[in-house]
CSV table of all heavy atoms in Angstrom, one decimal:
chain,number,residue,atom,x,y,z
A,1,LEU,N,9.9,-7.1,-31.6
A,1,LEU,CA,9.5,-5.9,-32.5
A,1,LEU,C,10.6,-4.8,-32.2
A,1,LEU,O,10.7,-4.5,-31.0
A,1,LEU,CB,8.2,-5.4,-32.3
A,1,LEU,CG,7.8,-4.2,-33.3
A,1,LEU,CD1,8.0,-4.6,-34.8
A,1,LEU,CD2,6.4,-3.8,-32.9
A,2,HIS,N,11.3,-4.4,-33.1
A,2,HIS,CA,12.3,-3.3,-33.0
A,2,HIS,C,11.9,-2.0,-33.5
A,2,HIS,O,12.0,-1.0,-32.8
A,2,HIS,CB,13.6,-3.7,-33.5
A,2,HIS,CG,14.7,-2.6,-33.3
A,2,HIS,ND1,15.0,-1.7,-34.1
A,2,HIS,CD2,15.5,-2.5,-32.2
A,2,HIS,CE1,16.0,-0.9,-33.6
A,2,HIS,NE2,16.3,-1.3,-32.4
A,3,HIS,N,11.4,-2.0,-34.8
A,3,HIS,CA,11.0,-0.7,-35.5
A,3,HIS,C,10.1,-0.9,-36.6
A,3,HIS,O,10.1,-2.1,-37.2
A,3,HIS,CB,12.2,0.1,-35.9
A,3,HIS,CG,13.1,-0.4,-37.0
A,3,HIS,ND1,14.2,-1.2,-36.8
A,3,HIS,CD2,13.0,-0.2,-38.4
A,3,HIS,CE1,14.7,-1.5,-38.0
A,3,HIS,NE2,14.0,-1.0,-38.9
A,4,VAL,N,9.5,0.1,-37.0
A,4,VAL,CA,8.6,0.2,-38.1
A,4,VAL,C,9.3,1.2,-39.0
A,4,VAL,O,9.7,2.3,-38.6
A,4,VAL,CB,7.3,0.6,-37.9
A,4,VAL,CG1,6.4,0.8,-39.2
A,4,VAL,CG2,6.5,-0.5,-37.0
A,5,ASN,N,9.6,0.9,-40.3
A,5,ASN,CA,10.3,1.8,-41.2
A,5,ASN,C,9.2,2.3,-42.2
A,5,ASN,O,8.5,1.5,-42.8
A,5,ASN,CB,11.4,1.1,-42.0
A,5,ASN,CG,12.0,2.0,-43.0
A,5,ASN,OD1,11.5,2.3,-44.0
A,5,ASN,ND2,13.2,2.4,-42.7
A,6,LEU,N,9.1,3.6,-42.3
A,6,LEU,CA,8.2,4.3,-43.2
A,6,LEU,C,9.0,4.9,-44.3
A,6,LEU,O,9.9,5.7,-44.0
A,6,LEU,CB,7.3,5.2,-42.6
A,6,LEU,CG,6.3,4.7,-41.5
A,6,LEU,CD1,5.6,5.9,-40.8
A,6,LEU,CD2,5.4,3.6,-41.9
A,7,ALA,N,8.8,4.6,-45.5
A,7,ALA,CA,9.5,5.2,-46.6
A,7,ALA,C,8.8,6.5,-47.0
A,7,ALA,O,7.5,6.4,-47.3
A,7,ALA,CB,9.7,4.3,-47.8
A,8,THR,N,9.5,7.6,-47.3
A,8,THR,CA,8.9,8.9,-47.5
A,8,THR,C,9.9,9.7,-48.4
A,8,THR,O,11.1,9.5,-48.4
A,8,THR,CB,8.6,9.5,-46.1
A,8,THR,OG1,8.0,10.9,-46.5
A,8,THR,CG2,9.9,9.8,-45.4
A,9,ASP,N,9.3,10.6,-49.1
A,9,ASP,CA,10.0,11.7,-49.7
A,9,ASP,C,10.2,12.9,-48.9
A,9,ASP,O,10.7,14.0,-49.4
A,9,ASP,CB,9.4,11.9,-51.1
A,9,ASP,CG,9.4,10.7,-52.1
A,9,ASP,OD1,10.4,10.0,-52.1
A,9,ASP,OD2,8.3,10.5,-52.7
A,10,ARG,N,9.6,12.9,-47.7
A,10,ARG,CA,9.6,14.1,-46.9
A,10,ARG,C,10.1,13.8,-45.5
A,10,ARG,O,9.3,13.9,-44.5
A,10,ARG,CB,8.2,14.8,-46.9
A,10,ARG,CG,7.7,15.1,-48.2
A,10,ARG,CD,6.3,15.6,-48.3
A,10,ARG,NE,5.3,14.6,-47.7
A,10,ARG,CZ,4.0,14.7,-47.7
A,10,ARG,NH1,3.5,15.9,-48.2
A,10,ARG,NH2,3.3,13.9,-47.2
A,11,VAL,N,11.3,13.5,-45.3
A,11,VAL,CA,11.8,13.0,-44.0
A,11,VAL,C,11.7,14.0,-42.9
A,11,VAL,O,11.1,13.8,-41.9
A,11,VAL,CB,13.3,12.5,-44.2
A,11,VAL,CG1,14.0,12.2,-42.8
A,11,VAL,CG2,13.4,11.3,-45.1
A,12,GLY,N,12.1,15.3,-43.2
A,12,GLY,CA,12.0,16.3,-42.3
A,12,GLY,C,10.6,16.6,-41.8
A,12,GLY,O,10.3,16.7,-40.5
A,13,GLU,N,9.7,16.7,-42.7
A,13,GLU,CA,8.3,17.0,-42.5
A,13,GLU,C,7.7,15.8,-41.6
A,13,GLU,O,6.9,16.1,-40.6
A,13,GLU,CB,7.4,17.2,-43.7
A,13,GLU,CG,6.0,17.6,-43.5
A,13,GLU,CD,5.3,17.8,-44.9
A,13,GLU,OE1,5.9,17.9,-45.8
A,13,GLU,OE2,4.1,17.8,-44.7
A,14,MET,N,8.0,14.6,-42.0
A,14,MET,CA,7.5,13.5,-41.3
A,14,MET,C,8.1,13.4,-39.8
A,14,MET,O,7.2,13.2,-38.9
A,14,MET,CB,7.8,12.1,-42.0
A,14,MET,CG,7.1,12.0,-43.3
A,14,MET,SD,5.5,11.4,-43.1
A,14,MET,CE,5.7,9.6,-42.7
A,15,ALA,N,9.3,13.7,-39.7
A,15,ALA,CA,10.0,13.7,-38.4
A,15,ALA,C,9.2,14.7,-37.5
A,15,ALA,O,8.9,14.5,-36.3
A,15,ALA,CB,11.4,13.9,-38.5
A,16,GLY,N,9.0,15.9,-38.0
A,16,GLY,CA,8.3,16.9,-37.2
A,16,GLY,C,6.9,16.5,-36.9
A,16,GLY,O,6.5,16.7,-35.7
A,17,PHE,N,6.2,15.9,-37.7
A,17,PHE,CA,4.9,15.4,-37.4
A,17,PHE,C,4.9,14.3,-36.2
A,17,PHE,O,4.2,14.4,-35.3
A,17,PHE,CB,4.2,14.8,-38.7
A,17,PHE,CG,2.9,14.1,-38.4
A,17,PHE,CD1,1.7,14.8,-38.5
A,17,PHE,CD2,2.8,12.7,-38.1
A,17,PHE,CE1,0.5,14.3,-38.3
A,17,PHE,CE2,1.6,12.2,-37.8
A,17,PHE,CZ,0.4,12.9,-37.9
A,18,TYR,N,5.8,13.4,-36.4
A,18,TYR,CA,5.8,12.3,-35.4
A,18,TYR,C,6.3,12.9,-34.0
A,18,TYR,O,5.8,12.3,-33.0
A,18,TYR,CB,6.7,11.1,-35.8
A,18,TYR,CG,5.9,10.2,-36.7
A,18,TYR,CD1,5.8,10.5,-38.1
A,18,TYR,CD2,5.2,9.1,-36.2
A,18,TYR,CE1,5.0,9.7,-39.0
A,18,TYR,CE2,4.4,8.3,-37.1
A,18,TYR,CZ,4.3,8.6,-38.5
A,18,TYR,OH,3.6,7.8,-39.3
A,19,ARG,N,7.1,13.9,-34.1
A,19,ARG,CA,7.6,14.5,-32.8
A,19,ARG,C,6.5,15.5,-32.2
A,19,ARG,O,6.1,15.3,-31.0
A,19,ARG,CB,8.9,15.1,-32.9
A,19,ARG,CG,10.1,14.4,-33.1
A,19,ARG,CD,11.4,15.2,-33.0
A,19,ARG,NE,11.3,16.4,-33.8
A,19,ARG,CZ,11.8,16.5,-35.1
A,19,ARG,NH1,12.3,15.5,-35.7
A,19,ARG,NH2,11.7,17.7,-35.7
A,20,ASP,N,6.1,16.4,-33.1
A,20,ASP,CA,5.1,17.4,-32.6
A,20,ASP,C,3.7,17.0,-32.4
A,20,ASP,O,3.0,17.4,-31.4
A,20,ASP,CB,5.2,18.6,-33.6
A,20,ASP,CG,6.6,19.2,-33.7
A,20,ASP,OD1,7.4,19.0,-32.8
A,20,ASP,OD2,6.8,19.8,-34.7
A,21,VAL,N,3.2,16.2,-33.3
A,21,VAL,CA,1.8,15.7,-33.2
A,21,VAL,C,1.6,14.5,-32.4
A,21,VAL,O,0.7,14.5,-31.5
A,21,VAL,CB,1.2,15.6,-34.6
A,21,VAL,CG1,-0.2,15.0,-34.6
A,21,VAL,CG2,1.2,16.8,-35.4
A,22,LEU,N,2.5,13.5,-32.5
A,22,LEU,CA,2.3,12.3,-31.8
A,22,LEU,C,3.1,12.3,-30.4
A,22,LEU,O,3.0,11.4,-29.6
A,22,LEU,CB,2.8,11.1,-32.7
A,22,LEU,CG,1.9,10.9,-33.8
A,22,LEU,CD1,2.3,9.7,-34.6
A,22,LEU,CD2,0.4,10.6,-33.4
A,23,GLY,N,4.0,13.3,-30.3
A,23,GLY,CA,4.8,13.4,-29.0
A,23,GLY,C,5.9,12.4,-28.8
A,23,GLY,O,6.4,12.1,-27.8
A,24,LEU,N,6.3,11.8,-30.0
A,24,LEU,CA,7.5,10.8,-29.9
A,24,LEU,C,8.7,11.6,-29.8
A,24,LEU,O,8.8,12.8,-30.0
A,24,LEU,CB,7.5,9.9,-31.2
A,24,LEU,CG,6.2,9.1,-31.4
A,24,LEU,CD1,6.4,8.3,-32.7
A,24,LEU,CD2,6.0,8.2,-30.3
A,25,GLU,N,9.8,10.9,-29.2
A,25,GLU,CA,11.1,11.6,-28.9
A,25,GLU,C,12.2,10.9,-29.8
A,25,GLU,O,12.0,9.8,-30.3
A,25,GLU,CB,11.4,11.4,-27.5
A,25,GLU,CG,10.4,11.9,-26.5
A,25,GLU,CD,10.7,11.8,-25.2
A,25,GLU,OE1,11.7,11.0,-24.8
A,25,GLU,OE2,10.0,12.2,-24.3
A,26,VAL,N,13.2,11.6,-30.0
A,26,VAL,CA,14.4,11.1,-30.7
A,26,VAL,C,15.1,10.1,-29.7
A,26,VAL,O,15.3,10.4,-28.5
A,26,VAL,CB,15.4,12.2,-31.0
A,26,VAL,CG1,16.6,11.6,-31.6
A,26,VAL,CG2,14.8,13.3,-31.9
A,27,PRO,N,15.3,8.8,-30.2
A,27,PRO,CA,15.9,7.8,-29.2
A,27,PRO,C,17.4,8.2,-28.8
A,27,PRO,O,18.1,8.9,-29.5
A,27,PRO,CB,15.9,6.5,-30.1
A,27,PRO,CG,15.7,7.0,-31.5
A,27,PRO,CD,15.1,8.3,-31.5
A,28,GLU,N,17.5,8.0,-27.6
A,28,GLU,CA,18.9,8.3,-27.0
A,28,GLU,C,19.9,7.2,-27.0
A,28,GLU,O,21.1,7.4,-26.9
A,28,GLU,CB,18.7,8.7,-25.5
A,28,GLU,CG,17.9,10.0,-25.4
A,28,GLU,CD,17.8,10.4,-23.9
A,28,GLU,OE1,18.6,9.9,-23.1
A,28,GLU,OE2,16.9,11.3,-23.6
A,29,SER,N,19.5,5.9,-27.3
A,29,SER,CA,20.3,4.8,-27.5
A,29,SER,C,19.8,3.8,-28.5
A,29,SER,O,18.6,4.0,-28.9
A,29,SER,CB,20.4,4.1,-26.1
A,29,SER,OG,19.1,3.5,-25.7
A,30,ASP,N,20.7,2.9,-28.9
A,30,ASP,CA,20.3,1.9,-29.9
A,30,ASP,C,19.9,2.6,-31.2
A,30,ASP,O,19.0,2.1,-31.9
A,30,ASP,CB,19.2,1.0,-29.3
A,30,ASP,CG,19.2,-0.3,-30.2
A,30,ASP,OD1,20.1,-0.7,-30.8
A,30,ASP,OD2,18.0,-0.9,-30.2
A,31,VAL,N,20.5,3.7,-31.5
A,31,VAL,CA,20.2,4.4,-32.8
A,31,VAL,C,21.1,3.8,-33.9
A,31,VAL,O,22.4,3.7,-33.7
A,31,VAL,CB,20.4,5.9,-32.7
A,31,VAL,CG1,20.1,6.5,-34.0
A,31,VAL,CG2,19.5,6.4,-31.6
A,32,PRO,N,20.5,3.4,-35.0
A,32,PRO,CA,21.4,2.7,-36.0
A,32,PRO,C,22.4,3.8,-36.6
A,32,PRO,O,22.1,4.9,-36.8
A,32,PRO,CB,20.5,2.4,-37.2
A,32,PRO,CG,19.1,2.4,-36.5
A,32,PRO,CD,19.2,3.3,-35.4
């Protein structure tokens, strides 16, 4: 398993949610 892709019309808002609420980080390597 490498990734799950979620299609959205609100990329910025979604990114903030996953970082701020779930505590995920921006990957430092293996970024497409």
Side-chain angles (χ1 to χ4, degrees):
L1 181 61
H2 183 267
H3 69 268
V4 174
N5 177 289
L6 301 177
T8 180
D9 294 319
R10 302 178 301 185
V11 173
E13 184 179 344
M14 290 282 281
F17 176 87
Y18 279 84
R19 284 190 317 265
D20 300 341
V21 176
L22 295 181
L24 301 182
E25 299 177 357
V26 175
E28 295 181 15
S29 63
D30 198 24
V31 179

